[in-house]
Amino acid sequence: MKMWMMAAILICGVSLVGCGNKKAKEEPKEIQVENTPVEVKVPDAVACNVVIEDYLVNVIGKNYGEAEYCIPCPIVISTDDGNKDDILVWGDFWVYNYNQSGDTLKTVSGGDHPGLMHLRKTDNGFEVTSFDVVEDGAGNMESAKKIFGESFDAFREINSNEEKREAIRLRFVVDYVKKNRISVKFLQDYGWPAVTLPW
């Protein structure tokens, strides 16, 4: 699940419940409605998630074999938004490319890119300014410890837990499928049996 997204939803839910219990002393006799556009403010956490997912699709996803759908799966480990010019987001960032075959999404390509994303707030929202990626090969562990610091144990816990990662991945796929109205029921990795999407 998107940790930022969940937090934003909970905050919004609490706000709505609090406002619903107030009663006006007098009922207004006439309601004035102005035809002015209402600006919907997106919470910063949600806006940052959107930017990160876009980066995974359009920057990292382009390095893999082409497919019909590119679905990002950013598992956020920790954040630090104290400096709006350098917002830090540590995570285990996955991206998957799929083709649709009947009622099944079949995995074409994808991979894992754990590390630290740097974002900054702009007049139009947010943007990713750089990405510190954990090294592959012999320097992997040392690089991960350096990048994740105090969050290293939390990163290792999710990165090494395939069952938990797969459950999170399926939720991202379901959300994407619903949002884009894709008519599928199953997901299948190459060489593995298809699994039913958890609706």
Side-chain angles (χ1 to χ4, degrees):
M1 284 185 143
K2 299 178 188 173
M3 299 176 191
W4 273 352
M5 183 73 76
M6 287 177 59
I9 291 171
L10 287 173
I11 291 169
C12 291
V14 171
S15 299
L16 291 173
V17 171
C19 293
N21 293 328
K22 295 182 180 177
K23 292 183 179 179
K25 292 182 179 178
E26 295 181 9
E27 290 293 327
K29 294 179 180 178
E30 188 176 329
I31 299 174
Q32 298 285 337
V33 179
E34 295 182 11
N35 293 324
T36 55
V38 177
E39 182 181 348
V40 179
K41 184 172 177 59
V42 178
D44 285 356
V46 176
C48 284
N49 270 337
V50 171
V51 169
I52 289 170
E53 291 185 7
D54 183 72
Y55 183 88
L56 290 173
V57 170
N58 295 304
V59 178
I60 294 177
K62 298 295 184 183
N63 296 320
Y64 290 102
E66 292 185 12
E68 292 177 76
Y69 306 108
C70 182
I71 303 180
C73 179
I75 306 173
V76 175
I77 306 296
S78 181
T79 62
D80 181 352
D81 62 353
N83 179 358
K84 295 301 181 184
D85 289 325
D86 189 21
I87 299 168
L88 308 176
V89 182
W90 291 268
D92 198 12
F93 302 106
W94 291 78
V95 61
Y96 298 93
N97 289 328
Y98 303 96
N99 282 335
Q100 182 176 358
S101 178
D103 60 2
T104 304
L105 281 181
K106 296 196 173 186
T107 307
V108 173
S109 58
D112 184 22
H113 301 268
L116 169 61
M117 284 202 187
H118 297 260
L119 288 76
R120 74 179 180 95
K121 192 165 188 177
T122 68
D123 293 338
N124 299 317
F126 294 88
E127 66 178 4
V128 175
T129 57
S130 63
F131 184 22
D132 303 333
V133 185
V134 172
E135 294 178 16
D136 289 328
N140 178 267
M141 190 66 67
E142 182 181 346
S143 174
K145 286 181 178 179
K146 181 179 179 181
I147 290 174
F148 282 93
E150 294 179 357
S151 300
F152 175 74
D153 289 340
F155 160 68
R156 287 294 294 167
E157 194 279 327
I158 191 66
N159 183 259
S160 61
N161 190 329
E162 184 176 359
E163 185 177 342
K164 184 179 286 187
R165 284 200 330 267
E166 281 302 298
I168 295 171
R169 173 193 177 193
L170 289 177
R171 291 312 315 167
F172 272 102
V173 171
V174 167
D175 289 346
Y176 184 93
V177 165
K178 286 181 178 179
K179 181 180 178 180
N180 294 279
R181 299 183 179 181
I182 303 169
S183 183
V184 292
K185 297 178 181 178
F186 306 98
L187 177 70
Q188 185 175 22
D189 290 333
Y190 182 78
W192 292 87
V195 297
T196 304
L197 292 175
W199 300 101

